[in-house]
Amino acid sequence: MAGVLKKTTGLVGLAVAQNPHEEQDVQKLEDKINCGQLEEVILQAEDELSLAYKMVKWKPWESLIEEAPHNQWKWPL
């Protein structure tokens, strides 16, 4: 990409991505993805990757070490 095509995302705390994708028409790509601005999609992907690393560490698919308390999953508390 030759340069940044937009000056702001319009979202507080979310800077414009300097090189979000190799496609020259960022607006066309945002329209095609239809999930918000590319900066938002990048942030979501980073969050999902972070969660994936945590899930590997937590191993939620394994059985509990000890049985959960009787009313732990009852709603409302």
Side-chain angles (χ1 to χ4, degrees):
M1 181 184 269
V4 177
L5 299 177
K6 57 185 174 183
K7 295 182 186 287
T8 180
T9 62
L11 301 170
V12 175
L14 188 59
V16 174
Q18 297 299 313
N19 190 14
H21 195 269
E22 294 177 3
E23 184 164 323
Q24 295 298 317
D25 190 350
V26 174
Q27 185 61 49
K28 182 178 176 184
L29 186 58
E30 288 176 347
D31 292 342
K32 187 174 183 178
I33 293 174
N34 195 25
C35 288
Q37 298 181 51
L38 288 178
E39 290 81 5
E40 294 174 288
V41 174
I42 291 168
L43 183 61
Q44 181 179 352
E46 289 171 347
D47 289 345
E48 289 178 8
L49 181 60
S50 173
L51 177 60
Y53 286 126
K54 291 175 184 176
M55 296 296 276
V56 168
K57 182 178 177 183
W58 296 335
K59 301 177 185 176
W61 55 87
E62 292 184 356
S63 300
L64 295 175
I65 295 172
E66 56 188 47
E67 191 160 331
H70 175 65
N71 288 329
Q72 180 171 348
W73 311 117
K74 185 177 179 181
W75 186 259
L77 298 176

